[in-house]
C-alpha cells in the first residue's frame, strides 16, 4: 500500500490551539493587552512620583533655554 502525501492537509478548528490563534482574535487581543500594559505602566509611574520629577526637569530645561537657569 502506497501512502499519498497531501501538500496542505485540512485541519479542523476544534482544537483549543487552533481556536485561540485565529487571526481576528489575535487582532483584538494583542492591542487590548498592549493598552492594558500601557495603562499599568502609566499608573505605576504616577504612583512613583514621576509627574513631579518630569515637571521639575522640564522647568529647569526651559529656564536654561532662555538663559536664566
Amino acid at each position: 500500500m502506497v501512502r499519498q502525501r497531501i501538500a496542505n492537509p485540512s485541519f479542523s478548528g476544534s482544537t483549543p490551539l487552533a481556536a485561540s490563534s485565529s487571526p481576528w482574535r489575535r487582532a483584538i487581543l494583542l492591542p487590548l493587552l498592549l493598552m492594558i500594559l500601557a495603562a499599568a505602566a502609566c499608573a505605576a509611574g504616577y504612583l512613583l512620583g514621576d509627574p513631579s520629577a518630569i515637571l521639575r526637569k522640564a522647568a529647569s530645561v526651559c529656564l536654561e533655554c532662555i538663559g536664566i537657569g
Side-chain angles (χ1 to χ4, degrees):
M1 177 179 225
V2 175
R3 207 173 240 204
Q4 194 174 23
R5 290 187 166 222
I6 300 173
N8 293 323
S10 61
F11 294 105
S12 65
S14 63
T15 62
L17 181 60
S20 67
S21 65
S22 65
W24 66 271
R25 281 194 180 179
R26 195 176 306 156
I28 292 172
L29 290 178
L30 184 61
L32 182 64
L33 178 66
L34 290 175
M35 283 189 275
I36 291 170
L37 288 174
C42 288
Y46 182 77
L47 293 174
L48 292 174
D50 279 346
S52 62
I54 291 172
L55 181 61
R56 193 174 343 108
K57 290 177 185 178
S60 67
V61 167
C62 187
L63 292 175
E64 288 175 3
C65 286
I66 59 175
I68 297 176

